[in-house]
Amino acid sequence: SRRAMGRAMGLAGLLLGLFLVPAVLVSTSLRHGVPLTEPETTRELAEWEPVSGTVREDSLWPLPQWLRTSPRQLQLAPGRFQLVHGAGSTAGPDCGLLQDAFRRYIEYMFGQSRRRTWGRRPPGGLTGPELWELQVVIEAPDPGCNSYPQLASSEAYHLTVTEPVAILKADEVWGALRGLETFSQLVHEDDYGSFLVNESEINDFPRFAHRGILLDTSRHYLPLKSILTNLDAMAFNKFNVLHWHIVDDQSFPYQSIYFPELSDKGAYSYNHIYTPTDVRVVIEYARLRGIRVIPEFDTPGHTQSWGKGQKDLLTPCYSGERPTGSFGPVNPILNTTYDFMSKFYKEISNVFPDAYIHLGGDEVDFSCWKSNPEVREFMKKQGFGIDYAKLESYYIQKILDIVSSYNKGYMVWQEVFDNKAQLKPDTVVQVWMGNNYADELSSVTGAGFTAILAAPWYLDYISYGQDWKKYYKVEPLKFSGSEKQKKLLIGGEACLWGEFVDATNLTPRLWPRASAVGERLWSSRNVTDLQDAYERLTNHRCRML
Amino acid sequence: SRRAMGRAMGLAGLLLGLFLVPAVLVSTSLRHGVPLTEPETTRELAEWEPVSGTVREDSLWPLPQWLRTSPRQLQLAPGRFQLVHGAGSTAGPDCGLLQDAFRRYIEYMFGQSRRRTWGRRPPGGLTGPELWELQVVIEAPDPGCNSYPQLASSEAYHLTVTEPVAILKADEVWGALRGLETFSQLVHEDDYGSFLVNESEINDFPRFAHRGILLDTSRHYLPLKSILTNLDAMAFNKFNVLHWHIVDDQSFPYQSIYFPELSDKGAYSYNHIYTPTDVRVVIEYARLRGIRVIPEFDTPGHTQSWGKGQKDLLTPCYSGERPTGSFGPVNPILNTTYDFMSKFYKEISNVFPDAYIHLGGDEVDFSCWKSNPEVREFMKKQGFGIDYAKLESYYIQKILDIVSSYNKGYMVWQEVFDNKAQLKPDTVVQVWMGNNYADELSSVTGAGFTAILAAPWYLDYISYGQDWKKYYKVEPLKFSGSEKQKKLLIGGEACLWGEFVDATNLTPRLWPRASAVGERLWSSRNVTDLQDAYERLTNHRCRML
């Protein structure tokens, strides 16, 4: 994120002053009343005037870090306007990811209109100056067409829209995807059915590198189509992480290759599963939109559904000296548990290409462990006394070591940090508890760990009216800590837990409410004007629909 | 409603003891622990035992007033099973309403399966006893095929399911529609794809005659398809009134024949309107499902959108001695206002066949009237002093008289009653204010007026979790008053105001939450077991999906 910002600012310096027509200059920081904190841009923008009246940024979401726009409009001819690879780009027609994105964005911009026969008309058919094409130039030696997005990927881009061609420059394809989304948001249809774009220049990059949506496919199964639709909506809002909370107590829809019984017995039905093909479809659909897929296989709690297909995995609960027949968290005292987990996470490490796996570790209920005489005996042997958090950490530590051995990083819920497990330096700790999340962010980053914030963004909690404002007003960096600590907060996630969510209500419940989180995580810290956000969000919602 | 109940109870007496196989007898009153209050049935049901275990009523919603069911299952062959007119029915193949219902319910019950080639197989293809057909017998001399449902329509029905034919008896087609819905809920598919129904007897009728859903098409326009889908859902839940809050401050989507400028200028756009054809489609689609359509044209408040297309209709607001350029409620002091309203409501009376029109009358803001010197002068002349409620009543009285002159009844929001307008005896007063709605019900019925309850069922207010329980727990008759007063409460409405509702979220926001209101208004007062309701509602939701 920091790297991307530095680079984008450099580009801005190079490209200022390109406009030949009188330009309306809009700085997103001035417009919102607070100067940018980055010294490079503050100097440049200080002399410009804020603009009133309608400029096309009125529908941009999330708002770019820096933009200027001119009242001069260019016309686009559907069917003739093209998205093309620009001269000097390291990506070309063999870049499937960009080819796919070109097709997608032409469709978003023109829809049915692109099937008109514009191509056969002479250019004189248009009344104003025309924009012929958008040239996409990828500058890195490896454009990334066949790779997966990562935490360190650059999403910065620079876009200039001037007659007769627009140019979109990005280091990697991930920035080009973000720039294509922004360009498509600039294009609008007027009352006469003409497609127009204002001459503009945009310099943009994300404020935070990790901008996630958590979907829960255990409480209710979500059909593949719902997940894919959600990935589209994420791309419209420049989210870049799908946190796939794929299994939980209620059901185990992940069809494991090594342990097919887990879903055979733990899924809601034979049909309510994600096959290996389904999983690949999700991962590829996400990749094509610059979205990472981080699966969560939460243990040792939240695992009731695992027990149905894997004998002896869960702890038998006791009442006095007798097993009750019910089970608690994963049984941490058996070697077979770790044999299973070792094999299971090996599969997960192979199936999911992302460098991170989310290992959960939240809300472990100790009562079953406490009831079990063998667990108590084990506690004694290990010298844990009656501190079951130590047993939890003992278990988690082994899982962390297993996953590390497959060269994967891990994300965990905050309890794992709170219970003082030994974490690798690149661990991402997800802060979710609503009370005093700022203090928790201080602690986590103070201990030198990377954090993401979810606590204020549990979007499954609904209430009457415009609660998006509440999500929008959150300032993630408002916690005590040094500059170094602040840099360790790498982003956040909007979480849509599935207790009351399924395919029937997922989209209208999550969007555009999650868009508020999207802008908070992408745009500049000082983009906080609620009325301005309301107007842009209204337009953005309409475009998404 | 009372009439229907008496009639249905009589039928029950005639038909008891028909079963030839050992029958599991289930009284919905006993099952829920409280005896029925009707003396006829209490005696009959007292000796029966409540049943545990799975019987098919586990998916019935709303729960019928009286049912017994046998473990003996009959098989239905899709493609061979038929819905037919029974011997002695006053309705036949020329009854388009029933023909349409037959086709619809065959589709609901069997879906794709009815296209299987069962018809060509010998009867031996089925393994158990078969149900060949459901015979529908309408008993009234005029079955009502070409009429509209009314407040006094009978919705009672009696259903017996025994080998080899089931019989559904009803006074009018409206009861047959309710019985077809119940029959379709009895039919279920087993794990082998066989369609089964338990031998059963059901005697059913609504507790309240007015069971409505309010949709608001002004705050957000709802496409025709959303309204029709909602009518389907209403039929699944035995609702019988669509309260169409069609216009309001925000927009005027109703395309008037006499005053087309109202929607030309007052609708959100040229497209966001309901044409006369659209309105006819809604009314007919509703009629075919036994649902009345009561339009609400709310005045004198909530009328900002009217002012755009009708000059001088609204009151000009003043600041000191000068008009501000903004407008308040309908201007009650001009003769032109009543000329317009007279013509307008004449059109509405013709377009909407229901005997009732909802005239609104809620939330009138007096500040603009107070600011206007001509209004103040008028107040003086009329001797109203400074009591603007008197001016409001003056206006409303004239509107009531206009609408009465077209032989229409009217519904009004509670303020019209509170402000002491002279109401016709058949006026329906809708109680919506959340504080002390029981007291308001006492007052309204105490004054001899008919009331419906909406206050506890504003379903646009959302909150986390299972708020349907809150709606379900409401007991409408829990207010102080005589038996005679209780009879004046004729039902209720679940209201979905449109500030935060449009086509994207209407269905999942309203259903199945409104189902809770549906059962409260249809089923017996003692059907209050939350766990039982939860299980049935879960199945009912699945079926609706």
Side-chain angles (χ1 to χ4, degrees):
Chain A
S1 172
R2 296 294 130 183
R3 180 170 81 81
M5 186 181 295
R7 201 190 143 277
M9 285 298 110
L11 263 178
L14 283 175
L15 287 152
L16 281 172
L18 267 183
F19 281 72
L20 301 175
V21 296
V24 176
L25 305 179
V26 179
S27 129
T28 61
S29 62
L30 280 177
R31 185 155 180 263
H32 297 276
V34 186
L36 276 176
T37 48
E38 287 76 14
E40 304 95 312
T41 52
T42 312
R43 257 178 288 114
E44 288 164 0
L45 302 177
E47 294 151 49
W48 302 357
E49 293 298 311
V51 174
S52 60
T54 304
V55 286
R56 290 320 301 175
E57 68 173 295
D58 284 351
S59 85
L60 292 181
W61 193 279
L63 198 64
Q65 297 282 348
W66 185 96
L67 75 92
R68 63 177 182 180
T69 185
S70 143
R72 187 162 188 258
Q73 295 197 317
L74 309 179
Q75 210 168 340
L76 291 76
R80 188 165 63 214
F81 175 83
Q82 285 191 298
L83 300 172
V84 297
H85 301 280
S89 177
T90 53
D94 62 340
C95 182
L97 182 143
L98 280 185
Q99 294 297 119
D100 197 76
F102 289 175
R103 191 178 47 200
R104 199 163 68 240
Y105 278 101
I106 287 287
E107 180 71 27
Y108 292 154
M109 287 187 285
F110 305 118
Q112 293 300 320
S113 304
R114 80 200 152 99
R115 279 159 214 122
R116 290 183 204 160
T117 54
W118 282 100
R120 286 169 217 156
R121 286 217 225 160
L126 298 178
T127 52
E130 182 172 356
L131 187 72
W132 283 85
E133 58 188 31
L134 171 66
Q135 299 178 354
V136 177
V137 179
I138 309 297
E139 298 182 312
D142 178 359
C145 299
N146 300 309
S147 67
Y148 289 93
Q150 309 168 36
L151 184 56
S153 294
S154 166
E155 294 174 289
Y157 65 91
H158 184 266
L159 175 65
T160 50
V161 182
T162 45
E163 189 187 1
V165 298
I167 296 175
L168 171 61
K169 290 196 179 182
D171 206 28
E172 301 177 356
V173 289
W174 318 117
L177 290 173
R178 303 298 169 243
L180 283 168
E181 174 59 32
T182 301
F183 179 77
S184 77
Q185 296 187 3
L186 287 174
V187 174
H188 52 284
E189 201 174 347
D190 71 8
D191 296 344
Y192 304 95
S194 291
F195 290 91
L196 300 169
V197 61
N198 288 61
E199 289 198 324
S200 317
E201 182 184 357
I202 289 178
N203 216 330
D204 203 10
F205 52 87
R207 182 176 174 209
F208 293 105
H210 183 119
R211 304 180 308 280
I213 296 285
L214 179 148
L215 291 186
D216 169 1
T217 56
S218 173
R219 274 60 180 251
H220 283 88
Y221 179 81
L222 295 174
L224 201 58
K225 188 165 182 285
S226 296
I227 298 175
L228 302 186
T229 299
N230 181 63
L231 287 168
D232 282 326
M234 288 173 66
F236 299 154
N237 292 276
K238 296 187 169 70
F239 277 95
N240 67 357
V241 177
L242 173 64
H243 175 165
W244 191 354
H245 188 86
I246 191 167
V247 302
D248 205 297
D249 283 332
Q250 285 82 352
S251 75
F252 197 102
Y254 173 78
Q255 190 178 44
S256 164
I257 302 159
Y258 293 156
F259 303 102
E261 297 250 299
L262 287 170
S263 62
D264 282 354
K265 302 204 170 145
Y268 279 126
S269 87
Y270 189 75
N271 259 330
H272 291 85
I273 60 167
Y274 303 105
T275 66
T277 303
D278 292 339
V279 171
R280 274 195 299 273
V281 166
V282 169
I283 292 168
E284 180 62 5
Y285 199 91
R287 185 186 82 83
L288 291 174
R289 285 151 185 80
I291 298 170
R292 303 160 58 198
V293 177
I294 300 181
E296 178 180 353
F297 287 90
D298 190 358
T299 69
H302 289 276
T303 48
Q304 288 293 302
S305 69
W306 301 52
K308 294 182 181 167
Q310 186 64 23
K311 206 170 158 299
D312 297 336
L313 181 65
L314 303 185
T315 310
C317 313
Y318 278 68
S319 175
E321 307 206 339
R322 282 197 301 202
T324 62
S326 64
F327 295 88
V330 167
N331 193 333
I333 69 168
L334 302 179
N335 289 333
T336 52
T337 291
Y338 301 102
D339 295 342
F340 165 80
M341 289 295 177
S342 185
K343 204 168 170 192
F344 181 77
Y345 280 112
K346 184 177 187 185
E347 171 182 327
I348 299 309
S349 301
N350 287 327
V351 168
F352 291 89
D354 198 82
Y356 285 81
I357 299 173
H358 200 304
L359 299 175
D362 59 319
E363 300 184 307
V364 182
D365 179 357
F366 296 148
S367 57
C368 184
W369 281 349
K370 286 177 183 169
S371 79
N372 183 304
E374 292 176 26
V375 172
R376 286 199 302 267
E377 181 64 27
F378 183 85
M379 292 279 289
K380 210 178 290 175
K381 268 192 197 153
Q382 295 285 335
F384 293 162
I386 54 163
D387 185 355
Y388 283 81
K390 283 185 178 152
L391 180 59
E392 182 182 351
S393 283
Y394 168 89
Y395 166 82
I396 288 276
Q397 198 64 58
K398 283 180 169 271
I399 300 299
L400 297 179
D401 295 345
I402 287 168
V403 172
S404 291
S405 75
Y406 302 131
N407 289 317
K408 288 280 186 181
Y410 39 76
M411 289 178 62
V412 291
W413 296 107
Q414 70 181 70
E415 290 97 318
V416 175
F417 167 80
D418 296 343
N419 290 337
K420 303 185 176 48
Q422 287 291 118
L423 300 170
K424 284 199 297 181
D426 65 345
T427 302
V428 176
V429 178
Q430 183 158 12
V431 173
W432 70 275
M433 290 179 168
N435 54 336
N436 287 325
Y437 64 78
D439 289 352
E440 182 76 6
L441 288 176
S442 296
S443 306
V444 171
T445 58
F449 291 107
T450 309
I452 63 169
L453 180 61
W457 292 318
Y458 268 36
L459 270 63
D460 53 317
Y461 291 121
I462 55 171
S463 58
Y464 183 75
Q466 296 192 45
D467 58 0
W468 69 272
K469 293 179 180 174
K470 186 175 65 186
Y471 307 128
Y472 192 76
K473 284 178 186 163
V474 172
E475 171 43 54
L477 292 185
K478 206 171 157 190
F479 64 88
S480 307
S482 62
E483 274 310 298
K484 196 178 151 213
Q485 276 176 269
K486 300 296 170 83
K487 289 203 164 90
L488 288 170
L489 180 64
I490 56 165
E493 290 187 355
C495 300
L496 194 71
W497 296 101
E499 281 85 349
F500 300 104
V501 174
D502 68 7
T504 66
N505 62 357
L506 182 141
T507 301
R509 188 156 293 194
L510 187 53
W511 304 102
R513 294 162 78 234
S515 301
V517 184
E519 177 152 296
R520 182 57 50 239
L521 294 173
W522 177 281
S523 302
S524 175
R525 177 173 186 159
N526 49 38
V527 177
T528 55
D529 184 306
L530 276 175
Q531 186 54 35
D532 176 71
Y534 174 80
E535 285 158 25
R536 286 183 294 110
L537 188 52
T538 302
N539 292 332
H540 181 53
R541 174 176 186 263
C542 184
R543 180 175 48 232
M544 286 201 283
L545 287 173
Chain B
S1 169
R2 298 294 127 180
R3 181 171 80 80
M5 185 179 298
R7 201 188 142 282
M9 284 299 108
L11 262 177
L14 283 175
L15 285 152
L16 280 173
L18 268 183
F19 281 71
L20 301 175
V21 296
V24 176
L25 306 179
V26 178
S27 128
T28 61
S29 61
L30 280 176
R31 184 155 182 266
H32 298 275
V34 186
L36 276 178
T37 49
E38 286 76 14
E40 304 95 312
T41 51
T42 313
R43 258 178 285 115
E44 289 165 359
L45 303 175
E47 296 152 45
W48 301 356
E49 293 297 312
V51 175
S52 59
T54 304
V55 286
R56 288 320 301 172
E57 68 172 295
D58 284 349
S59 85
L60 292 181
W61 192 279
L63 200 64
Q65 296 282 348
W66 185 95
L67 75 95
R68 61 177 183 180
T69 185
S70 143
R72 187 161 188 260
Q73 295 197 316
L74 309 179
Q75 208 166 343
L76 292 76
R80 187 164 64 214
F81 176 82
Q82 285 191 299
L83 300 173
V84 298
H85 300 281
S89 177
T90 53
D94 62 343
C95 182
L97 182 143
L98 280 184
Q99 294 297 118
D100 196 76
F102 289 176
R103 191 179 47 198
R104 199 163 67 240
Y105 278 102
I106 288 285
E107 179 70 28
Y108 292 155
M109 287 186 287
F110 305 117
Q112 291 301 318
S113 302
R114 78 199 154 100
R115 279 157 215 124
R116 288 184 204 159
T117 54
W118 281 100
R120 288 167 214 158
R121 286 218 224 160
L126 298 178
T127 52
E130 182 171 355
L131 188 70
W132 282 85
E133 58 188 28
L134 171 67
Q135 300 178 352
V136 177
V137 180
I138 309 296
E139 299 182 313
D142 177 359
C145 298
N146 300 310
S147 67
Y148 289 93
Q150 308 168 38
L151 184 56
S153 294
S154 166
E155 295 174 289
Y157 65 92
H158 184 267
L159 174 66
T160 50
V161 181
T162 44
E163 189 187 1
V165 297
I167 295 175
L168 171 62
K169 290 194 180 183
D171 207 28
E172 302 176 353
V173 289
W174 319 117
L177 290 174
R178 305 295 168 245
L180 284 169
E181 174 60 34
T182 301
F183 179 77
S184 77
Q185 295 187 6
L186 288 172
V187 174
H188 52 283
E189 199 174 348
D190 72 5
D191 296 344
Y192 304 95
S194 291
F195 290 91
L196 300 168
V197 62
N198 289 61
E199 289 198 323
S200 318
E201 182 185 358
I202 290 178
N203 214 330
D204 202 11
F205 52 87
R207 181 176 175 212
F208 293 104
H210 183 118
R211 305 179 307 282
I213 295 285
L214 179 148
L215 291 187
D216 169 1
T217 55
S218 173
R219 275 60 180 251
H220 283 89
Y221 179 81
L222 295 174
L224 200 59
K225 188 166 182 284
S226 296
I227 298 174
L228 303 185
T229 300
N230 181 63
L231 287 167
D232 282 326
M234 288 173 67
F236 300 154
N237 292 278
K238 296 186 170 71
F239 277 95
N240 66 356
V241 176
L242 173 63
H243 175 165
W244 192 354
H245 187 86
I246 191 167
V247 301
D248 205 297
D249 284 331
Q250 287 80 353
S251 75
F252 197 102
Y254 173 77
Q255 190 177 44
S256 165
I257 303 159
Y258 293 156
F259 303 101
E261 296 249 300
L262 288 170
S263 62
D264 282 354
K265 301 203 173 146
Y268 279 127
S269 86
Y270 189 75
N271 259 330
H272 290 85
I273 60 169
Y274 303 106
T275 67
T277 304
D278 291 340
V279 171
R280 274 196 300 273
V281 167
V282 169
I283 292 167
E284 180 63 7
Y285 199 91
R287 186 186 79 86
L288 291 172
R289 285 152 185 80
I291 297 170
R292 303 161 58 200
V293 176
I294 299 180
E296 178 181 354
F297 287 90
D298 189 359
T299 68
H302 289 278
T303 48
Q304 287 293 302
S305 69
W306 301 51
K308 294 181 183 167
Q310 185 63 26
K311 208 170 155 301
D312 297 335
L313 182 64
L314 303 185
T315 309
C317 312
Y318 279 67
S319 172
E321 309 207 337
R322 283 197 300 204
T324 62
S326 65
F327 296 88
V330 167
N331 192 333
I333 69 167
L334 302 180
N335 290 332
T336 52
T337 292
Y338 301 103
D339 296 343
F340 166 81
M341 289 296 176
S342 187
K343 203 167 171 193
F344 182 77
Y345 281 111
K346 185 176 187 188
E347 171 181 328
I348 300 309
S349 301
N350 288 327
V351 168
F352 291 89
D354 199 82
Y356 285 82
I357 298 174
H358 201 303
L359 299 176
D362 58 320
E363 297 186 308
V364 183
D365 179 357
F366 296 148
S367 57
C368 183
W369 281 349
K370 285 178 185 170
S371 80
N372 184 303
E374 293 173 26
V375 173
R376 286 199 304 265
E377 182 61 28
F378 184 85
M379 292 278 291
K380 211 178 289 176
K381 268 190 199 153
Q382 295 286 334
F384 292 163
I386 54 163
D387 186 355
Y388 284 81
K390 284 186 178 151
L391 180 59
E392 181 182 352
S393 283
Y394 169 88
Y395 166 83
I396 289 275
Q397 199 62 58
K398 284 181 166 269
I399 300 298
L400 298 178
D401 295 345
I402 287 168
V403 171
S404 290
S405 76
Y406 303 132
N407 290 315
K408 288 282 183 179
Y410 39 75
M411 290 178 60
V412 291
W413 295 106
Q414 70 181 68
E415 288 97 318
V416 175
F417 167 81
D418 295 342
N419 290 337
K420 304 185 175 45
Q422 287 291 117
L423 299 170
K424 285 199 296 182
D426 65 345
T427 301
V428 177
V429 178
Q430 183 158 13
V431 173
W432 70 274
M433 289 182 171
N435 54 334
N436 287 323
Y437 65 78
D439 289 351
E440 181 76 6
L441 288 175
S442 296
S443 307
V444 172
T445 58
F449 292 106
T450 309
I452 62 169
L453 181 61
W457 292 318
Y458 268 37
L459 271 63
D460 53 316
Y461 291 121
I462 55 171
S463 57
Y464 184 75
Q466 297 192 43
D467 58 0
W468 70 272
K469 293 180 180 172
K470 186 174 65 185
Y471 307 127
Y472 192 77
K473 284 179 187 166
V474 172
E475 171 42 53
L477 292 185
K478 207 172 157 191
F479 66 88
S480 306
S482 63
E483 274 312 299
K484 196 179 151 215
Q485 277 177 267
K486 300 294 170 85
K487 288 203 166 91
L488 288 170
L489 180 64
I490 57 166
E493 290 187 355
C495 301
L496 194 71
W497 297 100
E499 282 85 349
F500 300 103
V501 174
D502 67 9
T504 65
N505 62 357
L506 182 141
T507 302
R509 188 157 292 193
L510 187 54
W511 304 102
R513 292 161 79 232
S515 301
V517 183
E519 179 152 294
R520 181 57 51 239
L521 293 174
W522 177 281
S523 301
S524 175
R525 178 173 184 157
N526 51 37
V527 177
T528 55
D529 185 305
L530 277 175
Q531 185 55 35
D532 176 69
Y534 175 80
E535 285 157 23
R536 286 183 295 108
L537 188 51
T538 303
N539 291 333
H540 181 52
R541 174 176 188 263
C542 185
R543 179 175 47 234
M544 286 201 283
L545 286 175

